[in-house]
Amino acid sequence: MNVAHRVGLPRGEFGHLLGLAPEHLGDDLCRPPAATINRIAELTVAHAPWTDVSQLLAQQSTVGALGVWDYLITCAATPLEGIKDAAASFAVVADPATETLTVTEDGDHVTIGHLNHADLANQAACAIRGFALGLYRQRLSQAAGRPVIPLRVTLTTQAPRRHDTLTELYGTRAIDFEAPASSLTFLASDLETPNPLTQPGLPRVLRQVAEQQLTTATPLYDWLHLFRRTLSFAHAEGAPTLAAVAQRMTISTRTLQRRLEDHGTTWNTELEALRRTQITHLLQKTDYGVDAIAARTGYKDGRSLRRAVHRWYGTTPSALRGTNSSSSSG
């Protein structure tokens, strides 16, 4: 998104895409779909050459921008061990259905490969391939504490008219285009030098964090799923309104209502379902009183909450709370 802004792409052309709400972008456990990333790339390369987009993406990717994945490389005992860890946890930062990172050792050489399944002439895919290789070289150099220069670079892209930005990105002019695979080949000795910044035990901890992220990540599957997460975030900040949620999703209130109807639901139905889930949880998992729960979940008072609980379950809040206590003790 930063690169899209840099090349002059108006946010209105992509801000509505699934997974780009501020609360999703700021949540490391939210996984915007690959289709959203690819669409932004397609729009961006329509405003700038793919080679420039590759370089801009690398410039935006400072250490830490990709979370724990970055530190798997830069904090490992050696750059080689780091890129192996990064390949094993690649799903933390990419969709393995469309992108693959490989590490191949062959005697004195190590080849870092990147596979993207899009067509050779797909400009967006060219930008992503070019960026990926530049990112790997960038992180390996940071892990080594000095520039690491590949012996050769291969790209499964058509040769651009100019590729001086790629020469700068990879630190070499030895670039072959229209190759069978996109890759960087290094001397093994360049990637086996000890990392002076590594700490004993830290790589193992980082691997555990990466694994935890993979198991707890929340993919954003469709528009309704996105709406419900946005509604939940808005509700956590106070009583959400239709207009406020529509603004978060960068659409009009009428469009929001129409899309809810297309999915067979309504604003009031979704809001009540969210409140029902939260009230049930608070009754069964906390000691908050009915009036306190009502205030937390947007009801006028305890009486209104009691009527809602009776409508949902045909019982009272205290009985619902007691039912959970009985099942827990049993």
Side-chain angles (χ1 to χ4, degrees):
M1 289 180 63
N2 290 344
V3 172
H5 289 305
R6 290 281 299 275
V7 303
L9 180 65
R11 181 179 173 82
E13 292 190 26
F14 62 87
H16 63 285
L17 296 173
L18 183 62
L20 298 188
E23 56 265 28
H24 300 138
L25 291 174
D27 184 350
D28 283 343
L29 296 182
C30 259
R31 302 302 303 272
T36 290
I37 311 304
N38 292 339
R39 182 55 181 157
I40 296 177
E42 290 170 356
L43 293 168
T44 303
V45 295
H47 284 69
W50 71 260
T51 52
D52 290 357
V53 173
S54 293
Q55 185 182 51
L56 287 170
L57 284 167
Q59 289 172 353
Q60 292 291 315
S61 300
T62 55
V63 175
L66 297 178
V68 67
W69 188 86
D70 281 339
Y71 300 111
L72 286 170
I73 306 175
T74 58
C75 294
T78 67
L80 180 57
E81 290 183 28
I83 197 67
K84 286 181 178 178
D85 284 345
S89 300
F90 195 51
V92 170
V93 290
D95 182 352
T98 61
E99 315 284 330
T100 306
L101 166 60
T102 61
V103 180
T104 304
E105 298 178 74
D106 182 15
D108 294 335
H109 296 157
V110 175
T111 298
I112 314 299
H114 183 93
L115 176 63
N116 175 289
H117 298 283
D119 184 78
L120 187 74
N122 185 306
Q123 296 292 289
C126 291
I128 292 171
R129 293 181 190 118
F131 156 63
L133 295 188
L135 175 67
Y136 304 152
R137 184 211 164 215
Q138 197 174 78
R139 291 295 179 269
L140 290 167
S141 296
Q142 288 156 342
R146 57 180 174 76
V148 178
I149 308 300
L151 298 174
R152 61 180 177 275
V153 180
T154 64
L155 279 166
T156 54
T157 61
Q158 294 178 341
R161 293 180 180 178
R162 295 181 54 191
H163 57 272
D164 49 313
T165 53
L166 298 181
T167 297
E168 181 180 347
L169 187 58
Y170 305 137
T172 180
R173 294 182 178 277
I175 306 173
D176 294 330
F177 296 95
E178 300 185 33
S182 297
S183 67
L184 302 165
T185 298
F186 298 93
L187 282 173
S189 57
D190 282 342
L191 303 188
E192 293 172 344
T193 56
N195 179 353
L197 299 180
T198 191
Q199 299 180 36
L202 181 58
R204 177 178 56 81
V205 173
L206 293 172
R207 288 193 294 269
Q208 291 174 345
V209 172
E211 182 178 353
Q212 184 180 25
Q213 282 195 1
L214 285 173
T215 57
T216 58
T218 304
L220 300 176
Y221 295 107
D222 55 27
W223 184 88
L224 186 58
H225 188 269
L226 172 62
F227 164 78
R228 286 171 175 167
R229 284 187 61 85
T230 305
L231 177 61
S232 179
F233 278 111
H235 194 278
E237 297 174 359
T241 64
L242 177 68
V245 172
Q247 184 177 19
R248 281 174 177 256
M249 300 183 72
T250 66
I251 57 177
S252 68
T253 55
R254 293 183 63 181
T255 298
L256 176 55
Q257 290 174 310
R258 185 173 64 252
R259 289 190 177 179
L260 287 171
E261 291 174 2
D262 291 342
H263 285 80
T265 187
T266 66
W267 167 260
N268 288 334
T269 298
E270 292 297 319
L271 182 58
E272 184 169 29
L274 175 62
R275 286 174 171 171
R276 174 177 175 171
T277 298
Q278 293 182 333
I279 288 169
T280 303
H281 172 79
L282 290 171
L283 284 170
Q284 296 185 339
K285 302 296 183 182
T286 75
D287 295 326
Y288 294 139
V290 171
D291 287 335
I293 293 176
R296 283 173 171 265
T297 54
Y299 279 87
K300 182 179 180 181
D301 50 33
R303 182 179 300 178
S304 299
L305 187 144
R306 290 186 181 91
R307 285 198 298 265
V309 170
H310 188 271
R311 184 171 66 252
W312 298 331
Y313 298 109
T315 188
T316 64
S318 58
L320 184 62
R321 174 172 276 164
T323 298
N324 184 68
S325 299
S326 299
S327 60
S328 297
S329 61

